[in-house]
Amino acid sequence: MKTVLITGASSGLGTNIAKIFAKNRYNIVLNYNNSFDEAMKLKQELETYNVEGLPIKCDLTDEEQIKNMVNKTVEKFKNIDVLINN
């Protein structure tokens, strides 16, 4: 199964993009910074499509946090097939 990392995934356009990819059988990495509850709710919704959702808190202005997010993604899913910078 392929993996997509979506920045700003916990609301608005990012949420809609995540749902489209989940319907097309992609595991979804849900980047959020302040919207933990929304990210967890979306994770549960995406998993109804039999894919995995992985919420990761990351401030995209912090290079170390970005590296950590990428490392967690690769550790969990082995690769990133699609990156959506929302």
Side-chain angles (χ1 to χ4, degrees), residues 3-62:
T3 301
V4 59
L5 189 159
I6 305 170
T7 64
S10 62
S11 65
L13 183 60
T15 295
N16 291 326
I17 293 169
K19 291 175 185 179
I20 290 168
F21 274 94
K23 289 176 186 177
N24 285 283
R25 310 274 304 136
Y26 281 73
N27 291 318
I28 315 289
V29 179
L30 304 164
N31 161 247
Y32 70 95
N33 190 26
N34 297 312
S35 304
F36 173 79
D37 291 338
E38 291 85 350
M40 295 307 292
K41 180 180 174 184
L42 179 58
K43 174 190 184 305
Q44 291 177 336
E45 182 177 347
L46 298 177
E47 290 178 346
T48 65
Y49 296 104
N50 295 315
V51 300
E52 288 191 60
L54 177 63
I56 299 178
K57 178 175 175 46
C58 176
D59 178 348
L60 296 175
T61 65
D62 184 322

